[in-house]
Amino acid sequence: MTLPPALSALPFSQPRLLWPAAALALLALALGLRAQLRPGLGVRVVGQRPLLQGLGLALLLGGAGLGLAEPRWGGPEVPRLTVHVVLDASRSMLVPDQPGGASRWQAAVTVLDRLWSRPNPGVRYGLDLLTGDSVPVLPPGEDQRLLQDALRAVQPGALGSPGTALGWGLAQAGALAEPGQPAVLLLLSDGEETVEAPEAALDRAGGFLKGAGLPLYAIPFGEPRSQPVPGSGGQAPALYSTARPDLLRRLAERTGGRLLAPGEDPAQLCQNLAQGREPMPLARSLAPAHPEWGAWLALAGLALWLLAAGKPMRAWRPFLLLALVLGPGRPGRAGLPVPQSIRAWAAQSALERDDLAGAQRWRPRGDAPAHRLLAAQIDLRAGAYQGALATLEPLTGQGAPRPLPPWRAPALLMAARALLALDRPEEARALLEHLLLEQPGQPEAIHNLQSLLKDPAHPPPPPRQPPPPPPDPSQGARQDELEGLKQRLPSPNRPGGGIKDL
């Protein structure tokens, strides 16, 4: 069933559930009004008020439908966005029609250099080249220096198939996006389609990206007039290029994105999308859901119905109210959910009393950063280190709001502690270094990092040479005797002599 545009634009995760809930609520209200106008004898005897009962039942049904539809609003608690940059690398990008005689390719590279030369917290970038097909270069990541280096290794017209296939290439690039994760496409191109008819390419790319919930934001380059492509003069016939910014505008608007104005900063656009200041398709939005508002509305309706039920329900009201308050907190019993703030208060009180079992029973399950920190603290106390990491994962991601919120440092420190307990010291060290980059001088991070960084082992000292043994006295005496003997012996150069014969 196709929803009306007014209903499909409402910020609900499941807007289709509003129809049956509204119909049942109106039916209950109509039946209550009919019973109020024509009350029966039993109704008058027991003191029931059908109109108030019908209103209470309508609020109960409407609140249930509202909670199941999940209204969504507010900014994301943890900004996160993946930007798939699609850069036109066809030969038409060599046309020098930009200010100062620069080519379209040089202008596009300058825009990306400016984008990646500064920090972009909470945003990951991937790079694909668009020619006659899509050429993946780098998957989404945070290494912006590597992205800049990759641009230097690309020459327009040297990769992929000849021409520009916007319809096929954008669909291929969009297929690489993770389903359900906040992601957009940023296209830098002259908008010229050469593989198929422009309308066919518009239908193909626009239909795929809109169905996948991937808005396209485009930055156009080039003048909308026919110009020769450099280096094609030797071909027959020579190649000419005509930029089509109008095609890029129609394609972006069809997917829910837009064409960036001349001089608009794409970095600011990405930050607005990551922080929730600019809307995204609901399927990929990080706006938190608030089903508890429907639960509170249903509780008000139930209370109103109990108050208008008449004499038979008066004796049961205290017990029903007691079950309403105490029932949800007991595991294994059906009941209305306790608000996460109350669970967090009960769990914190149990931790202060060193009651780990009570803290685990009241462990909060909300997505608020304070609730996640408390739940991770309980997991660490219980030795559930893997569960603590899973709980802290949304808070220890690549990006954080600016200025840094107070929960960022405790989340990184607790995650590092869990990793160290799981014998993964290198990952713990990386988290602590990341925290010091965000908050230089953080004392606890410095202390923990120093405990992880072991001093290099000093080489053992060289073995000491034993002193030479003292000379043997007998050897000295023998040496003296030899010297004396040498002196007493005649020298071979001494003239001969002796006793003369008479």
Side-chain angles (χ1 to χ4, degrees):
M1 181 179 64
T2 304
L3 294 174
L7 185 60
S8 60
L10 292 178
F12 291 98
S13 298
Q14 302 290 337
R16 289 179 173 82
L17 297 177
L18 294 175
W19 281 115
L24 292 175
L26 290 176
L27 178 61
L29 191 59
L31 292 176
L33 179 61
R34 180 178 179 275
Q36 182 72 28
L37 295 176
R38 296 180 180 180
L41 179 60
V43 172
R44 291 195 299 268
V45 169
V46 300
Q48 292 179 343
R49 287 171 285 182
L51 182 59
L52 291 180
Q53 280 190 297
L55 179 60
L57 189 56
L59 291 176
L60 177 62
L61 295 173
L66 181 65
L68 293 175
E70 290 189 350
R72 303 168 70 103
W73 67 81
E77 296 170 352
V78 182
R80 187 172 69 251
L81 178 70
T82 300
V83 179
H84 297 269
V85 177
V86 182
L87 177 59
D88 191 346
S90 60
R91 295 184 61 180
S92 63
M93 293 292 287
L94 294 173
V95 175
D97 58 354
Q98 297 300 293
S103 65
R104 301 170 184 174
W105 174 262
Q106 292 170 342
V109 169
T110 301
V111 170
L112 292 179
D113 270 336
R114 191 182 303 114
L115 172 64
W116 291 332
S117 61
R118 50 185 165 172
N120 291 278
V123 182
R124 299 189 307 160
Y125 291 97
L127 178 61
D128 294 342
L129 299 180
L130 180 65
T131 57
D133 47 20
S134 179
V135 182
V137 178
L138 288 175
E142 302 177 26
D143 194 343
Q144 299 182 170
R145 183 66 62 85
L146 181 61
L147 290 166
Q148 290 178 294
D149 293 341
L151 293 178
R152 306 293 184 269
V154 178
Q155 180 66 27
L159 295 175
S161 304
T164 305
L166 289 173
W168 291 102
L170 291 176
Q172 293 174 7
L176 300 177
E178 300 179 23
Q181 294 299 317
V184 298
L185 265 66
L186 180 63
L187 174 63
L188 296 88
S189 173
D190 53 16
E192 187 177 25
E193 169 68 43
T194 61
V195 175
E196 57 183 340
E199 292 299 327
L202 186 65
D203 293 339
R204 186 186 307 278
F208 179 86
L209 296 180
K210 186 177 181 180
L214 286 170
L216 174 72
Y217 295 87
I219 303 178
F221 297 93
E223 298 293 334
R225 54 188 176 86
S226 180
Q227 301 179 77
V229 177
S232 63
Q235 298 183 3
L239 299 180
Y240 286 83
S241 172
T242 303
R244 292 289 305 274
D246 57 327
L247 182 63
L248 294 180
R249 176 179 290 104
R250 294 168 57 194
L251 179 58
E253 292 175 351
R254 180 172 295 192
T255 62
R258 60 182 175 86
L259 193 71
L260 273 68
E264 184 176 354
D265 187 6
Q268 187 61 44
L269 168 67
C270 296
Q271 287 300 317
N272 291 340
L273 291 170
Q275 299 284 349
R277 293 191 293 264
E278 190 157 333
M280 289 186 63
L282 192 62
R284 294 183 177 270
S285 175
L286 285 179
H290 298 276
E292 66 275 7
W293 288 101
W296 288 116
L297 185 61
L299 281 174
L302 179 60
L304 183 60
W305 186 86
L306 289 174
L307 291 175
K311 296 177 183 178
M313 295 299 297
R314 288 177 183 174
W316 290 94
R317 287 173 189 168
F319 300 101
L320 291 175
L321 291 176
L322 186 63
L324 194 65
V325 173
L326 299 180
R330 298 187 178 183
R333 288 194 174 188
L336 294 174
V338 176
Q340 296 302 321
S341 57
I342 297 179
R343 297 184 65 91
W345 173 79
Q348 184 65 44
S349 301
L351 277 183
E352 293 174 357
R353 299 192 306 268
D354 291 332
D355 182 9
L356 183 58
Q360 289 178 310
R361 183 171 64 252
W362 289 101
R363 179 181 179 275
R365 302 181 182 88
D367 292 331
H371 297 165
R372 286 187 175 274
L373 289 179
L374 180 58
Q377 185 179 2
I378 296 172
D379 290 340
L380 289 176
R381 290 273 192 95
Y385 303 112
Q386 198 63 45
L389 286 178
T391 303
L392 293 171
E393 184 178 2
L395 306 183
T396 58
Q398 55 172 338
R402 292 296 189 273
L404 287 174
W407 48 259
R408 179 66 170 176
L412 290 174
L413 290 172
M414 283 196 287
R417 177 183 168 189
L419 288 171
L420 190 60
L422 292 172
D423 198 17
R424 293 152 65 180
E426 293 300 326
E427 298 180 40
R429 174 181 172 181
L431 280 184
L432 294 174
E433 291 175 347
H434 190 71
L435 175 56
L436 288 177
L437 289 177
E438 293 182 347
Q439 296 184 5
Q442 216 281 344
E444 191 171 352
I446 294 176
H447 177 270
N448 293 344
L449 189 59
Q450 287 176 346
S451 63
L452 284 177
L453 296 175
K454 297 181 179 180
D455 294 333
H458 296 287
R464 299 180 62 182
Q465 296 292 337
D472 190 358
S474 60
Q475 288 183 354
R478 286 197 300 270
Q479 186 69 23
D480 293 341
E481 292 178 359
L482 289 176
E483 292 293 334
L485 181 60
K486 288 180 181 179
Q487 292 177 1
R488 290 194 299 269
L489 289 176
S491 174
N493 297 324
R494 180 183 302 173
I499 301 175
K500 293 183 179 181
D501 296 335
L502 295 177

